[in-house]
Amino acid sequence: MRTLVCTTPGQFDYQSALRPSLTAGQAIIKIKRIGICGTDLHAFEGTQPFFNYPRILGHELAGELVEADGAPGFEMGERVTFIPYFNCGTCIACRSGKPNCCTRIQVAGVHIDGGMAEYVSVPSYSLIHGEGLSYEELALVEPLAIGAHGVRRAGIQPGEFVLVVGAGPIGLGMMEFARIAGAHVIALDINEARLRFCQERLQVPHTINALQEDVMAQLQAITNGDMPTVVMDATGSLKAINAGFAYLAHGGRYVLVGLQKGELNFSHPEFHKREATLMSSRNATREDFEHVVNSMKKGLVDPKTYITHQVPFDRVKDEFASWLNPATGVIKAMVHVE
């Protein structure tokens, strides 16, 4: 089978590999769609933590189930996606119902090879039923589950003002599921085109351009002086993350979904006087995946809204670098494998 390998930062190569054979407890999926995510982009540019080269990228995947062992209820030929965070099942996190932050986690396309290939072998326990969704929709379940998990971590209540910093695909998913939870959503970004996307395609009621507006003044006006009770970062930018502490209401929660390599710096007295809560949000759980699938089926989320670029597998090597450029207007690139 053909694979696409990120051999070093900035370099992809098509290579041949043996098609995986079925082993105990595993399932083999014929890949049909691959969503390109921020992790893939960061790996390509050499800024992704927890990463080594060479690596087959890709964990936003959908395909046809062709073989499986230990997958009761699944049928061969079924459309499926899967949870690409493979956990040990025995560590403190797994025993606490948090396999998404397993101490020995293996994320497909990060710690181990992912799905930029014609076939992939995954643990049968990770499979997710297609539920009648298209391959494009199923390939977007994972990034939306990241946002849904962050929203669940935040414990959002109806009527709260929620500020989402970063209007990339993960941030957009956070906005969608914050809206579904009943929040008044505020989008903050430096890319005017993405803010227009929030307004026009997702009907986000409040948007702020951090380069053109006084962010504090705008937040105070929108929230009647209270400030957002939840701030969620989806940028992975150290500058943006550090700035976000000042946007938080007294008694509020700050959820870090975006990831960067540096150290956080904030005023302890300012954080302390707010009696604020700081938390990270890593990956997602089966509960989040199922919430996303059910929301899609109910029409609460239209995942195809996010797809701005379509490309066949054969052209990924040539076009991938362009997706790092905001001027291309890419929100979500979708790769077709036939």
Side-chain angles (χ1 to χ4, degrees):
M1 67 174 184
R2 293 188 77 198
T3 64
L4 182 59
V5 183
C6 188
T7 52
T8 60
Q11 180 63 42
F12 273 121
D13 288 313
Y14 289 102
Q15 299 181 7
S16 294
L18 291 175
R19 172 180 164 172
S21 299
L22 184 64
T23 56
Q26 294 288 113
I28 297 176
I29 300 171
K30 179 177 174 58
I31 297 298
K32 295 290 189 178
R33 299 291 185 274
I34 307 165
I36 303 301
C37 75
T39 299
D40 301 324
L41 298 172
H42 296 155
F44 181 76
E45 64 184 359
T47 59
Q48 176 64 30
F50 316 126
F51 199 85
N52 294 300
Y53 303 86
R55 179 68 68 221
I56 298 174
L57 306 182
H59 59 257
E60 298 181 1
L61 304 165
E64 176 189 349
L65 183 63
V66 294
E67 293 184 82
D69 175 75
F74 285 87
E75 298 181 0
M76 299 311 101
E78 179 180 348
R79 289 178 182 173
V80 294
T81 185
F82 65 95
I83 303 170
Y85 332 118
F86 307 143
N87 60 288
C88 72
T90 59
C91 73
I92 179 62
C94 291
R95 298 198 312 271
S96 301
K98 298 181 178 181
N100 56 299
C101 60
C102 168
T103 61
R104 294 187 287 276
I105 200 165
Q106 298 282 287
V107 178
V110 179
H111 307 99
I112 58 175
D113 284 340
M116 287 193 181
E118 293 179 292
Y119 293 87
V120 67
S121 177
V122 303
S124 294
Y125 69 73
S126 69
L127 292 172
I128 299 287
H129 286 287
E131 299 284 353
L133 299 176
S134 69
Y135 287 127
E136 284 81 7
E137 290 169 323
L138 289 172
L140 286 166
V141 170
E142 191 273 342
L144 288 170
I146 297 286
H149 185 71
V151 166
R152 185 158 64 90
R153 287 278 286 157
I156 292 170
Q157 300 299 309
E160 285 194 277
F161 282 99
V162 174
L163 172 65
V164 176
V165 186
I170 299 299
L172 296 174
M174 288 155 56
M175 295 176 204
E176 293 262 61
F177 285 94
R179 170 185 56 78
I180 291 171
H184 302 298
V185 179
I186 309 165
L188 175 64
D189 203 286
I190 60 174
N191 186 316
E192 188 60 31
R194 289 199 167 186
L195 291 173
R196 285 198 304 273
F197 184 94
C198 293
Q199 292 174 318
E200 297 169 3
R201 303 291 288 275
L202 302 188
Q203 284 74 56
V204 173
H206 309 287
T207 61
I208 303 172
N209 188 319
L211 295 181
Q212 300 177 8
E213 301 174 74
D214 183 329
V215 177
M216 292 293 289
Q218 288 296 316
L219 290 174
Q220 288 172 342
I222 292 167
T223 63
N224 297 315
D226 289 337
M227 301 298 284
T229 50
V230 175
V231 176
M232 306 182 72
D233 178 82
T235 66
S237 160
L238 183 59
K239 181 179 179 180
I241 291 170
N242 287 338
F245 286 91
Y247 305 148
L248 190 62
H250 282 236
R253 292 97 71 201
Y254 192 6
V255 185
L256 302 182
V257 181
L259 180 64
Q260 50 75 44
K261 289 185 175 181
E263 296 181 355
L264 301 181
N265 291 285
F266 58 93
S267 167
H268 189 181
E270 288 295 321
F271 185 72
H272 187 88
K273 77 180 185 182
R274 287 170 167 79
E275 197 180 56
T277 300
L278 174 64
M279 64 185 83
S280 61
S281 177
R282 189 180 188 192
N283 300 324
T285 66
R286 179 168 292 274
E287 179 180 349
D288 303 308
F289 276 72
E290 292 176 348
H291 180 36
V292 171
V293 169
N294 289 333
S295 296
M296 288 182 181
K297 290 173 64 178
K298 293 177 182 177
L300 298 175
V301 176
D302 180 6
K304 294 181 181 178
T305 299
Y306 303 99
I307 301 173
T308 54
H309 293 61
Q310 303 264 13
V311 62
F313 187 59
D314 288 345
R315 293 218 319 261
V316 175
K317 178 180 178 178
D318 295 330
E319 297 195 21
F320 195 94
S322 69
W323 300 332
L324 293 165
N325 183 359
T328 63
V330 64
I331 298 292
K332 177 63 64 176
M334 184 64 62
V335 177
H336 293 240
V337 185
E338 301 298 343

